[in-house]
Amino acid sequence: MNPSSIRFRLAVWYAGVLAGILILFSIATYVGVRHFLARNVHEALVKDTQEVGSIVRENANERDEGAIGREVGEHYSPESGERAIRIVTAEGAPIYLSGPGEAFPPWNSSLAQDQPYDMTNHAADGQEYVIRTQAVAADSGKKYFVQVGASLSRNSEILEQLLAVLALALLLATAIAVTGGFFLIRSSLRPLDNMATRAQKITSRSLHERMPVSSTGDELQQLSISLNRMIERLEEAFHHITRFSADASHELRTPLTIMRGELETAVQNPKIDADVRETLGTVLEETVRLSKIVDQLLTMSRLDAGEAFLEVSRFDFSEMVRTTVEYIRLLADEKKLSLKVAAVEAIQVEGDQPRLQQVVVNLLDNAIKYTPEGGSVSVSVRAEEDKAVLTVTDTGIGISEDGQSHIFERFYRTDRARSRQLGGIGLGLSIVKSIGAAHGGRVSVESAEGRGSTFRFEIPRLLDKEEKPIPSEGQVLTPAKGSEIS
Ligand code: ADP
């Protein structure tokens, strides 16, 4: 649980406010009930003291004061109830006492007041009593004090039970509210979660995708619509840029091809001066290099625009690699490099064959370029689980660790001077990477400076229904006769 998350903070706020309201409600209920019970006791005592008072008034007899007690006892049979009654003369002489006797404090003159009043007494039995005292004047003129007491223990019991019920209700209501609130908040934030997941998946290649729009008519719907409009504008801008580069590279190709043709003819023309022909030869070399750059830029921008994979077919990856290597063998021979290929097992893949051929060309071209004379380059194709894996290993100059983390970036060259001399502009490997990604595959490198490099390119292969994937170590195929040429 993350305490700074909006979900947690909302749940805590919600629970806090609800608990606060419930506590206020419980206090109000408790105070109200306590007041009501106290008033009930008071009213009952007022009624009883008045009734006892009228009995005293009617039965007061100078000679027989016991008549009062008998009459009160008859009316109230107090032993059966919880009420306590005490009657004393103005001088403090007790003439009647019933009910729990300890309810009353010992009589003293401070208790003798003309106006009726209530007081509380903590009795020796541990109970609390409310006692009402009222002065009564008999017809004979003699004054008596009537006291009626009632225990408050019943009220305390009721209040204790009420408190327990209120506390339990408070806890339960808060727990239910917190759990409910948590789920409520989670479900209201789910559209945001969905948007975040979708946004993470949207890359420059999938700008056609959009955020899910919930039709809730609230800020979340507004947000998803606004984000979708933003992605749309991005898509347009991106498309515009890639189209522009693709168009520009395409437009440059034709004049370059014409220039190249014209220069080739001129270079071979014996009527032209040898000096001029040499200059034209240099221009031709640069034009060839320029054509290469334009070709690579065109490929790159087409890959970016997602236009490059129109011809998807099923073919044998090993066979394609063997054929492509043979096209390039001449370059290796020129540099006196040994070029071995191990690709015998037929491995079916589904993809754009010309593009995958380009991968082989780019990797092999680099291996040849960056391996000094007399070195060796070996190419192998094998099946590993559900993948077709191509590795190109050379004994060339190798790549530093820092270089390895950048070589798949566009226009990155570890050694600009040497690279330029060799005709590279730093796009070959990013093209390989893009083609791999478009086929659901990847490319990686292992290299040690001065000792050589191994490039590994893998894409998913087609599995026969019965065929189980080969264990991950894979098996390097032993080259068949004729496929290994040194
Ligand atoms: P370039 O056209 O310059 O070769 P790449 O994208 O193909 O561009 O390669 C990027 C950089 O990676 C190169 O400039 C080179 O420094 C390095 N590189 C690529 N392949 C190898 C290799 N087989 N051996 C050593 N360095 C390599």
Side-chain angles (χ1 to χ4, degrees):
M1 188 149 299
N2 173 8
S4 49
S5 71
I6 187 166
R7 190 178 300 172
F8 183 85
R9 281 184 294 156
L10 270 178
V12 167
W13 261 99
Y14 179 60
V17 169
L18 190 89
I21 292 172
L22 285 175
I23 288 172
L24 284 180
F25 171 78
S26 304
I27 292 173
T29 310
Y30 182 81
V31 171
V33 170
R34 195 175 64 173
H35 182 71
F36 172 76
L37 290 173
R39 238 185 57 198
N40 263 1
V41 170
H42 169 77
E43 279 169 8
L45 286 180
V46 168
K47 194 167 146 261
D48 287 352
T49 37
Q50 280 172 355
E51 278 176 16
V52 175
S54 49
I55 294 172
V56 170
R57 212 173 294 118
E58 282 163 19
N59 294 279
N61 186 330
E62 288 283 341
R63 275 155 290 139
D64 180 14
E65 283 190 319
I68 297 173
R70 284 196 298 279
E71 200 60 30
V72 173
E74 230 170 75
H75 273 79
Y76 283 96
S77 81
E79 282 73 18
S80 61
E82 292 167 351
R83 209 177 291 108
I85 299 175
R86 180 164 79 171
I87 303 169
V88 293
T89 61
E91 295 76 31
I95 54 169
Y96 180 78
L97 178 65
S98 73
E102 59 273 24
F104 300 105
W107 183 260
N108 62 56
S109 57
S110 69
L111 298 174
Q113 293 179 23
D114 288 338
Q115 290 304 317
Y117 67 92
D118 285 358
M119 61 181 269
T120 51
N121 181 38
H122 288 276
D125 61 0
Q127 292 199 43
E128 198 178 9
Y129 289 88
V130 186
I131 295 162
R132 186 164 179 84
T133 309
Q134 188 179 339
V136 178
D139 296 341
S140 60
K142 193 162 175 181
K143 201 169 169 186
Y144 297 90
F145 287 99
V146 172
Q147 288 191 303
V148 181
S151 165
L152 283 180
S153 59
R154 183 100 193 97
N155 283 10
S156 304
E157 262 172 42
I158 294 173
L159 286 173
E160 269 171 28
Q161 280 176 13
L162 176 71
L163 208 60
V165 169
L166 285 175
L168 193 72
L170 180 82
L171 280 179
L172 266 178
T174 313
I176 292 171
V178 169
T179 321
F182 191 77
F183 283 109
L184 197 76
I185 295 163
R186 198 166 75 166
S187 73
S188 16
L189 290 181
R190 191 159 297 135
L192 274 183
D193 264 353
N194 293 344
M195 274 193 254
T197 318
R198 181 68 64 84
Q200 268 172 1
K201 284 187 191 148
I202 297 181
T203 64
S204 60
R205 290 189 170 280
S206 53
L207 276 175
H208 56 277
E209 284 188 27
R210 293 288 178 269
M211 296 284 175
V213 179
S214 49
S215 48
T216 43
D218 58 5
E219 289 80 359
L220 282 180
Q221 183 178 6
Q222 208 56 42
L223 177 69
S224 47
I225 292 174
S226 306
L227 283 174
N228 278 345
R229 289 204 184 120
M230 190 183 80
I231 299 172
E232 202 174 304
R233 288 195 295 275
L234 276 177
E235 188 186 12
E236 269 169 30
F238 198 76
H239 190 70
H240 190 72
I241 294 167
T242 46
R243 265 262 52 94
F244 175 78
S245 341
D247 289 349
S249 321
H250 188 74
E251 288 304 316
L252 285 172
R253 264 175 132 192
T254 323
L256 275 173
T257 318
I258 296 168
M259 276 166 71
R260 212 170 138 176
E262 295 290 335
L263 284 168
E264 272 164 3
T265 323
V267 165
Q268 283 157 16
N269 189 348
K271 288 186 203 146
I272 297 177
D273 229 23
D275 284 355
V276 180
R277 267 194 288 155
E278 200 175 313
T279 313
L280 288 178
T282 317
V283 178
L284 176 62
E285 266 172 32
E286 284 306 307
T287 314
V288 170
R289 196 174 111 77
L290 196 58
S291 303
K292 247 185 182 171
I293 294 172
V294 168
D295 276 351
Q296 285 190 335
L297 283 175
L298 181 63
T299 309
M300 204 67 234
S301 43
R302 279 191 173 165
L303 283 169
D304 284 345
E307 288 173 9
F309 297 97
L310 301 174
E311 299 160 36
V312 174
S313 61
R314 288 178 177 203
F315 59 93
D316 178 0
F317 191 61
S318 295
E319 193 193 327
M320 180 277 285
V321 172
R322 283 197 303 270
T323 324
T324 316
V325 170
E326 289 320 311
Y327 280 126
I328 298 181
R329 183 168 293 284
L330 204 65
L331 284 180
D333 291 347
E334 272 175 13
K335 263 187 101 175
K336 301 194 175 54
L337 298 178
S338 113
L339 175 59
K340 297 175 188 167
V341 57
V344 277
E345 192 196 19
I347 301 169
Q348 290 298 316
V349 295
E350 194 171 54
D352 187 319
Q353 189 164 357
R355 291 287 162 230
L356 290 170
Q357 246 164 341
Q358 193 164 5
V359 167
V360 184
V361 170
N362 287 8
L363 291 179
L364 209 53
D365 187 50
N366 277 347
I368 295 170
K369 263 194 309 198
Y370 300 109
T371 304
E373 261 184 40
S376 69
V377 175
S378 48
V379 179
S380 93
V381 178
R382 61 182 181 271
E384 266 183 27
E385 294 186 327
D386 55 351
K387 296 184 185 75
V389 180
L390 160 75
T391 51
V392 178
T393 305
D394 62 59
T395 57
I397 58 170
I399 308 160
S400 68
E401 262 186 42
D402 180 47
Q404 287 174 40
S405 53
H406 295 293
I407 49 171
F408 297 104
E409 290 167 15
R410 290 173 190 191
F411 300 107
Y412 180 85
R413 288 171 292 169
T414 50
D415 182 341
R416 288 173 180 271
R418 190 205 305 259
S419 226
R420 197 190 136 72
Q421 200 186 4
L422 296 170
I425 56 159
L427 274 180
L429 288 179
S430 37
I431 289 175
V432 171
K433 187 178 165 190
S434 292
I435 295 175
H439 282 83
R442 55 194 289 270
V443 59
S444 57
V445 65
E446 268 177 35
S447 182
E449 256 183 306
R451 278 194 275 152
S453 319
T454 298
F455 282 85
R456 176 188 161 97
F457 177 83
E458 57 182 53
I459 52 166
R461 70 185 176 108
L462 292 173
L463 295 172
D464 291 345
K465 276 194 190 112
E466 310 76 30
E467 195 183 343
K468 296 231 163 53
I470 291 168
S472 67
E473 274 87 51
Q475 105 203 61
V476 180
L477 299 167
T478 6
K481 259 191 191 156
S483 64
E484 183 181 317
I485 308 153
S486 303

